[in-house]
Amino acid sequence: MADRGRQRPVGLVTRGTTNPNRLRRVDNWIVETCGDRLRAAADPLVVDLGYGATPVTAVELRDRLAARVRADVRVVGLEIDPVRVAAAAPAADPPGLTFARGGFELAGLRPTVVRAFNVLRQYDESEVADAWRTVTDRLAPGGVLVEGTCDELGRLAGWLLIDSTGPRTLTLAARLTTLESPARLAERLPKALIHRNVPGEHIHALLRALDDAWQAAAGLAPFGPRQRWLTAVGTLRSTGWPVLDRPHRWRHGELTLPWPTIAPT
């Protein structure tokens, strides 16, 4: 039941599974991509929405942002399940890190950045846009939602950068030393795209083109998977895909494209 005077949490309780360093890839990307927003914010507030059965990823997010963006960043972990909120309390370090009960309504907070990972996987695709709007309507001016999913160890991931106008970019990321094929990234597409990996959809064409470029770069395998990935992404760009960022981001196993490029048809 919602606290007196506070809106009832919006959403469903997630499975809650998590692991240390599971979200390291997206955290590093947030530092790089959203760092300026937080540095400029009057209140550098970040919400970790649906952090799971243990608070470890919220703790890691706060530590990374405090060390690399600004020391006074505030991270609030929100969970619908009050048992999880209570279990996280010993990890709190106010004012930099606190935990509270809340869902997509963000418990009345107005953050600059919201990270919501592995939250929408259990929802129907038709519910995704409403969930995005519920969050983005409550962001601070210029705020963003980073929504996506990853595997249990964080080796494969995909996420969207979303603002008040809707999705802006898609990022795919992989631990290159364990990447067998970029086609595996299809398993970790955000909910809005995971059912769209079929012929005729842009995301299907992207994954196929990336996998073809990866296979064509097989001769570079002796020089390491990073060089092979850099070549594959460069090939993708040279064939007309509007790959964003520069090779210094690609070398981390990332690939970012504008949303219209891969949006559902």
Side-chain angles (χ1 to χ4, degrees):
M1 203 169 175
D3 295 340
R4 186 179 301 274
R6 179 178 295 178
Q7 182 180 349
R8 182 186 299 273
V10 177
L12 304 173
V13 176
T14 65
R15 291 174 56 201
T17 55
T18 190
N19 281 298
N21 275 324
R22 186 182 188 187
L23 302 185
R24 179 174 62 86
R25 297 182 197 290
V26 68
D27 286 356
N28 290 337
W29 184 88
I30 288 172
V31 167
E32 178 81 11
T33 306
C34 305
D36 287 346
R37 282 187 174 88
L38 289 168
R39 293 182 189 100
D43 179 11
L45 175 61
V46 177
V47 163
D48 184 11
L49 181 60
Y51 56 83
T54 71
V56 61
T57 55
V59 173
E60 292 171 344
L61 178 60
R62 185 277 186 103
D63 289 347
R64 288 163 182 151
L65 292 175
R68 298 167 59 189
V69 178
R70 55 187 289 182
D72 62 340
V73 69
R74 293 194 302 125
V75 173
V76 178
L78 292 183
E79 263 291 345
I80 290 179
D81 185 353
V83 174
R84 293 179 183 173
V85 177
D93 182 21
L97 178 63
T98 57
F99 298 91
R101 190 176 181 216
F104 296 129
E105 85 301 332
L106 304 183
L109 300 171
R110 299 279 286 176
T112 297
V113 178
V114 174
R115 183 188 69 182
F117 245 65
N118 304 304
V119 171
L120 290 177
R121 285 184 67 83
Q122 65 193 27
Y123 289 77
D124 189 87
E125 184 182 345
S126 64
E127 300 174 285
V128 169
D130 283 344
W132 289 345
R133 280 191 294 270
T134 301
V135 173
T136 57
D137 284 350
R138 290 156 176 81
L139 293 172
V144 291
L145 163 65
V146 181
E147 186 273 307
T149 187
C150 65
D151 66 357
E152 288 72 12
L153 297 178
R155 294 177 176 178
L156 298 170
W159 60 83
L160 298 167
L161 179 69
I162 304 165
D163 63 16
S164 60
T165 67
R168 307 296 296 176
T169 62
L170 166 73
T171 297
L172 302 176
R175 181 179 179 183
L176 296 178
T177 55
T178 58
L179 182 65
E180 301 167 3
S181 163
R184 291 288 309 279
L185 287 161
E187 304 166 13
R188 298 297 162 177
L189 290 171
K191 186 67 177 188
L193 293 172
I194 196 165
H195 301 301
R196 301 290 183 152
N197 185 30
V198 294
E201 291 282 355
H202 301 310
I203 188 63
H204 180 268
L206 170 66
L207 290 174
R208 183 166 184 175
L210 178 59
D211 200 60
D212 287 347
W214 174 262
Q215 299 305 328
L220 295 173
F223 300 98
R226 178 173 293 168
Q227 189 59 47
R228 186 178 180 183
W229 176 265
L230 286 168
T231 300
V233 174
T235 298
L236 203 67
R237 191 179 210 178
S238 69
T239 57
W241 288 93
V243 177
L244 301 176
D245 299 326
R246 304 301 301 169
H248 82 282
R249 295 307 310 170
W250 307 351
R251 64 185 285 106
H252 296 292
E254 293 177 6
L255 170 65
T256 299
L257 293 102
W259 171 253
T261 305
I262 45 76
T265 59

